[in-house]
C-alpha cells in the first residue's frame, strides 16, 4: 500500500493532520496543485492569488528541504494532475485533510480517482466540528459570549487557580471602544519585500486573462511560516500593549491601527490559533500588559474565530440563501471601483481594500456591511463581493460573518440585533466625515448623508420585523417621534438614490 498526501492551499502547516501521521518523509509522496479553473470561480483580489500561490510554492520548497517528496503542479483542474501523480507513484490511498469549506469538501468527495480517498479530520482549529455541534446542541441560545467562556475554561486561557477569569471579569470591552481623538501614535505594520518566488507569482497573476480585482503593485504580505511568526512577534511587541482602546477606531491613512494582521496567515495554516493565543497570554504575564487589550485580542481568536467557524458547520447547508429582510438591491458598482463613490468613508475603506485586500473589523462591519444592510443590498451579492475582495476570505469565515453578523440575513441566528448605524456612529469612531462632501448632520435635506437617510428608511421599511427584536425598541421609539413629512422625504431620497446609482 502506498499512501500519498494532497495538501490544499489553505493547509500549509507541517503539523497538519494528513502530514503528521508519518515519520518516513522520503517515502511519502506529496502533491500541491495550482488550479486555474478554481480561481476563476470569482473575481479574486490579485493579492489573494499571489499570497496563496506564493505561500504554496514556499511551503513546497520548505517540505523538499526537510526531505519530503513533493510534486508541485499547475493545471486547469485538480483531477488530471492527481491521476497522473497517483499513477506515477503507484499510490493506493490519497489522504487529504478535511477542507474547511463545504463546497471544496464536495469537490474532493466527487473526484473520480483510481484509488481510495481518505479525508482526515482538520486540526487547524481548536474546536472540531463535532465538539462544536455537541456544545451547540446542548444549549437554548448560541451566544458567542457563552461559547467564549467555555473555551476559556476548556483551554485554560486567562484563568486563575480557582478556575475563575483573571481580573474577575470575562470581558473588558467597556474599556475598548474609545473614539480616535488627537494625534494617535500608531505602530508600524510589518510588511515584506517580494522575493524571487513571489515576484514570479506576481508576473503570473499580472498575465492572467480572466477578470480579477484590486491592485497588485503593493503586495507586501508574508508568504512563509517564518514571516508569519515575525508578524506575530511584531504584533506582540508593538501593538498588543495598546491593542484595546482603539480597537474600533478608524482613521484616514491608518489602515491597520493596532490590529494584528494575522488572519491571512491563520487562515492558510502559517499560524496556529493556539500559538497566537498563548503568545498573547505569555506577553500579558511577562510584561504586565493591560488586561483589557489582551483579553479583547484573545476573545477575537478563542471566541469569535472558533465560533464563526463552528457555526458555519452547525447551520444548515443552505444558510447562504438566507435573506430575512428580502433585500434585493444590486451591489453598487463602486464596490468594485472606489473612485465611483463620493461617500468618503466608503471611498477610504474601498480604496484601502483595493490596495491591500485588508480592512479591519470595524471597517468591514460598520462601513461596508452596514451600508449593504441599510441600503437593502442583496446579501448574496455582498457576500460574494467580500469573498472576492479580501485576502483572508474563505467560505467558512465569510458566510456567518457577512450574512449573519454583518447583514442579519439569518434573522438573528448569530447576532442579537442588526449592526445598523447612521453617520453619528461613523463620525464618532472615525475622522472620515470631516473630508466628505455629504453633511453628516443632515438626514433629509440637501446634501444629506446617505448613511442617514438609508438608516431611517431601513428602520421604517422593516419596522414590523424589527419590533420583534427586544434590543431595537429604544431606536424604534425614536423613529416614531419623527415627523411623518420628514420620514416621507427620507424614504423618497432613499428610493431615488437607488434609481440614479
Ligand atoms: P485582529 O483585530 O487583530 O483580530 C485578531 C484575529 O481574530 C483575526 O486575525 C481573526 O483571525 C480573528 N477574528 C476576529 N473576529 C473574527 C470574526 N468575526 N471571524 C473570524 N475571525 C475573527 N475574518 C477573516 O479571517 N476573513 C474574512 O474574510 C472576514 N470577513 C469579515 C467580513 C465581515 C462583514 C466581518 C464583520 C468580519 C469579517 N472577518 C473576517 C472577521 C474580522 O474582521 C477579521 O478576521 C479581522 O479584521 C482580520 O484582521 P486582523 O488579523 O488584523 O484582526
Ligand atoms: Fe460617510 Fe456620511 Fe460621514 Fe460622508 S458624511 S463620511 S458618507 S458617514
Amino acid at each position: 500500500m502506498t499512501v500519498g498526501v494532497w495538501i490544499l492551499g489553505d493547509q500549509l502547516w507541517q503539523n497538519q493532520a494528513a502530514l503528521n501521521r508519518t515519520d518516513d518523509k522520503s517515502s511519502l509522496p506529496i502533491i500541491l496543485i495550482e488550479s486555474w479553473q478554481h480561481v476563476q470561480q470569482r473575481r479574486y483580489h490579485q493579492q489573494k492569488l499571489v499570497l496563496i500561490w506564493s505561500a504554496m510554492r514556499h511551503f513546497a520548497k520548505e517540505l523538499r528541504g526537510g526531505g519530503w517528496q513533493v510534486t508541485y503542479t499547475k493545471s486547469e483542474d485538480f483531477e488530471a494532475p492527481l491521476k497522473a501523480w497517483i499513477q506515477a507513484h503507484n499510490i493506493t490511498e490519497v489522504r487529504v485533510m478535511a477542507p474547511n469549506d463545504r463546497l471544496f469538501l464536495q469537490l474532493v468527495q466527487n473526484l473520480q480517482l483510481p484509488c481510495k480517498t481518505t479525508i482526515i479530520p482538520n486540526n487547524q482549529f481548536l474546536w472540531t466540528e463535532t465538539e462544536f455541534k455537541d456544545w451547540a446542541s446542548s444549549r437554548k441560545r448560541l451566544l458567542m459570549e457563552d461559547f467564549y467562556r467555555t473555551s476559556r475554561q476548556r483551554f485554560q486561557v486567562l484563568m486563575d487557580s480557582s478556575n475563575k477569569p483573571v481580573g474577575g471579569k470575562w470581558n473588558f470591552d467597556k474599556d475598548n471602544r474609545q473614539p480616535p481623538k488627537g494625534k494617535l501614535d500608531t505602530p508600524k505594520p510589518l510588511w515584506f519585500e517580494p522575493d524571487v518566488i513571489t515576484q514570479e507569482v506576481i508576473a503570473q497573476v499580472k498575465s492572467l486573462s480572466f477578470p480579477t480585482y484590486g491592485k497588485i503593485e503593493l503586495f507586501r504580505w508574508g508568504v512563509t511560516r517564518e514571516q508569519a511568526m515575525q508578524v506575530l512577534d511584531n504584533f506582540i511587541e508593538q501593538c498588543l500593549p495598546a491593542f484595546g482602546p482603539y480597537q474600533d477606531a478608524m482613521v484616514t491613512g491608518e489602515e491597520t491601527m493596532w490590529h494584528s494582521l494575522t488572519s491571512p496567515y491563520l487562515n492558510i495554516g502559517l499560524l496556529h490559533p493556539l500559538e497566537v493565543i498563548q503568545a498573547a497570554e505569555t506577553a500579558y504575564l511577562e510584561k504586565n500588559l493591560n488586561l483589557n487589550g489582551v483579553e479583547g485580542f484573545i476573545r477575537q481568536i478563542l471566541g469569535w474565530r472558533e465560533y464563526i467557524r463552528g457555526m458555519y458547520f452547525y447551520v444548515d447547508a443552505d444558510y447562504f440563501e438566507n435573506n430575512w429582510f428580502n433585500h434585493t438591491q444590486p451591489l453598487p458598482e463602486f464596490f468594485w471601483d472606489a473612485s465611483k463613490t463620493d461617500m468618503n468613508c466608503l471611498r477610504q475603506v474601498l480604496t484601502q481594500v483595493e490596495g491591500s485586500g485588508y480592512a479591519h473589523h470595524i471597517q468591514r462591519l460598520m462601513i461596508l456591511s452596514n451600508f449593504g444592510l441599510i441600503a437593502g443590498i442583496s446579501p448574496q451579492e455582498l457576500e460574494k463581493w467580500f469573498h472576492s475582495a479580501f485576502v483572508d476570505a474563505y467560505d467558512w469565515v465569510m458566510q456567518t460573518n457577512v450574512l449573519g453578523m454583518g447583514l442579519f440575513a439569518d434573522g438573528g441566528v448569530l447576532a442579537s440585533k442588526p449592526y445598523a448605524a447612521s453617520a453619528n456612529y461613523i463620525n464618532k469612531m472615525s475622522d472620515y466625515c470631516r473630508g466628505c462632501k455629504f453633511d453628516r448632520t443632515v438626514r433629509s435635506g440637501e446634501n444629506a448623508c446617505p448613511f442617514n437617510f438609508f438608516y431611517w428608511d431601513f428602520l421604517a421599511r422593516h419596522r414590523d420585523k424589527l419590533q420583534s427584536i427586544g434590543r431595537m425598541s429604544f431606536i424604534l421609539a425614536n423613529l416614531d417621534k419623527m415627523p411623518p413629512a420628514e420620514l416621507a422625504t427620507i424614504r423618497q431620497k432613499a428610493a431615488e438614490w437607488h434609481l440614479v446609482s
Side-chain angles (χ1 to χ4, degrees), residues 281-349:
E281 187 176 25
T282 305
Y284 163 70
L285 295 171
E286 290 177 357
K287 298 180 183 177
N288 201 17
L289 301 185
N290 286 334
L291 187 53
N292 59 312
V294 176
E295 185 283 309
F297 177 71
I298 286 179
R299 177 152 26 93
Q300 305 308 309
I301 300 184
L302 187 58
W304 278 111
R305 186 170 188 270
E306 292 290 324
Y307 173 79
I308 284 288
R309 193 262 187 170
M311 288 297 283
Y312 169 74
F313 282 110
Y314 183 71
V315 295
D316 294 336
D318 61 0
Y319 184 85
F320 175 73
E321 307 299 334
N322 274 311
N323 192 349
W324 198 63
F325 291 118
N326 291 322
H327 282 165
T328 53
Q329 291 295 343
L331 187 75
E333 186 50 32
F334 61 72
F335 271 81
W336 296 108
D337 179 353
S339 67
K340 293 188 173 159
T341 179
D342 288 333
M343 287 178 267
N344 192 39
C345 50
L346 278 161
R347 197 175 58 233
Q348 293 295 338
V349 178

Side-chain angles (χ1 to χ4, degrees), residues 42 93 138 205 292 321 360-361 459:
R42 328 179 168 266
E93 179 186 347
S138 68
V205 171
N292 59 312
E321 307 299 334
H360 70 66
H361 187 69
L459 295 178

